[in-house]
Amino acid sequence: MTLRIGTRRSPLALAQAEEVRRRLLEQGVDSEIVPMTTSGDEGAPSGDAPAGLKGLFVDTILEALERDEIDVAVHSAKDLPAEDDEGLVIAAVPPRVNPADVLVLRDASLPPGAVIGTSSIRRRAQLLRAFPGVTVSDLRGNVDTRLRKVSEGVVDAAVLALAGLARLGVTPPHSAPLGLDVMVPAPGQGALALQARGDDMPTLTALTRLDHPESRAALEAERSLMWRIGGSCALPLGALATVEGARIDMLAVVISPDGSRVAKVEVVSDSPDGVAALATKALIAEGAEDILEALEDEG
């Protein structure tokens, strides 16, 4: 059996698919990578995907999976909507890598009134709160494109996921990881999600060998929170679950786009849904609902 692995065409996506291919080979399973272009890669607006902005970067891959054109879909877990398409399941979550965000700078330090690039409303809001006086500029493109714009001086710095840099083997000359007191990562950041058809038992059996229970539980907790909050790339929601034995800790934040209002909580439970429910309740008590309602009114 040779599994067909569907993935986006970006260098990072291909590196992630290659990581999965290597892990499968170690288990004696042959596979081949099938690169694809999604609506998001082609620049489609978020309204073109049923799951909004997140769905744009997985739509073509999921359609191919549903049509049996591929057997496995490899995603950056943070790109997935909060719910799986009918008939599809997350068959495996390999060991998660560092989920932190990192500030990549053009020079050794951030100048006064610096311009920091990001297209993420979550990152933008937390940057404005943590670094008063900076300007946050929209910055899009793959990792190489964003790093080039920093080096060319288009922006003074940019925020990227540490996991993406690590998977590409890139070490910028000037960078600083952002602590959780400054930047709570996106749900699923640093994790891979391997999707398959729920009735494809040979593929499910092969992928089960790659599953890391602690990473899966953390991802399930963060996706459960995202579903309860209604979170997507278009909402300033950060969440990070950590698992030790039967204990799951979660740090979660909802913040207004200008960084002026924040609801930030830490909760503990013994199940992914349990910790997500506690975090949702605590966030609402801290004013998250008012922040999100104000966003809807602005929209």
Side-chain angles (χ1 to χ4, degrees), residues 14-269:
L14 290 171
Q16 292 172 165
E18 176 60 23
E19 177 184 332
V20 172
R21 191 196 67 80
R22 287 197 306 269
R23 288 180 180 274
L24 285 169
L25 189 59
E26 290 170 359
Q27 300 298 323
V29 178
D30 291 327
S31 61
E32 60 182 6
I33 296 173
V34 182
M36 298 181 178
T37 300
T38 67
S39 297
D41 297 318
E42 294 176 342
S46 60
D48 287 2
L53 191 55
K54 278 182 176 283
L56 282 175
F57 292 99
V58 299
D59 57 357
T60 304
I61 301 170
L62 296 185
E63 289 167 6
L65 185 59
E66 290 167 348
R67 291 194 298 261
D68 194 16
E69 295 172 358
I70 58 173
D71 305 300
V72 185
V74 177
H75 309 288
S76 293
K78 67 182 179 65
D79 289 338
L80 282 177
E83 293 183 280
D84 296 321
D85 284 11
E86 185 176 354
L88 303 183
V89 297
I90 294 181
V93 180
R96 188 181 202 171
V97 300
N98 193 329
D101 286 295
V102 62
L103 188 66
V104 177
L105 302 99
R106 182 160 55 95
D107 299 312
S109 59
L110 201 63
V115 177
I116 304 177
T118 181
S119 62
S120 161
I121 189 172
R122 171 190 61 85
R123 288 171 173 160
R124 173 188 294 271
Q126 293 185 89
L127 284 170
L128 291 173
R129 187 170 184 85
F131 301 102
V134 303
T135 298
V136 181
S137 176
D138 189 55
L139 183 65
R140 300 181 183 273
N142 62 30
V143 172
D144 287 343
T145 298
R146 286 177 283 165
L147 290 175
R148 186 180 71 250
K149 289 184 178 180
V150 172
S151 65
E152 292 174 349
V154 176
V155 293
D156 297 302
V159 181
L160 291 92
L162 187 57
L165 295 174
R167 287 189 168 114
L168 287 170
V170 175
T171 305
H174 305 296
S175 64
L178 297 171
L180 294 175
D181 57 327
V182 172
M183 184 77 64
V184 181
Q189 187 160 304
L192 298 181
L194 312 186
Q195 278 189 314
R197 292 178 295 279
D199 59 359
D200 184 358
M201 293 311 299
T203 298
L204 295 177
T205 300
L207 293 177
T208 297
R209 307 172 199 172
L210 307 190
D211 194 52
H212 184 250
E214 290 82 2
S215 297
R216 172 182 283 275
L219 178 58
E220 288 177 351
E222 293 162 21
R223 291 184 84 203
S224 180
L225 174 66
M226 189 167 65
W227 177 79
R228 293 167 189 272
I229 293 292
S232 69
C233 290
L235 288 180
L237 168 69
L240 178 64
T242 54
V243 181
E244 288 190 19
R247 173 183 170 128
I248 304 179
D249 292 75
M250 176 175 278
L251 171 66
V253 63
V254 171
I255 184 167
S256 62
D258 63 0
S260 63
R261 302 172 65 192
V262 62
K264 192 172 186 178
V265 302
E266 295 183 60
V267 296
V268 180
S269 183

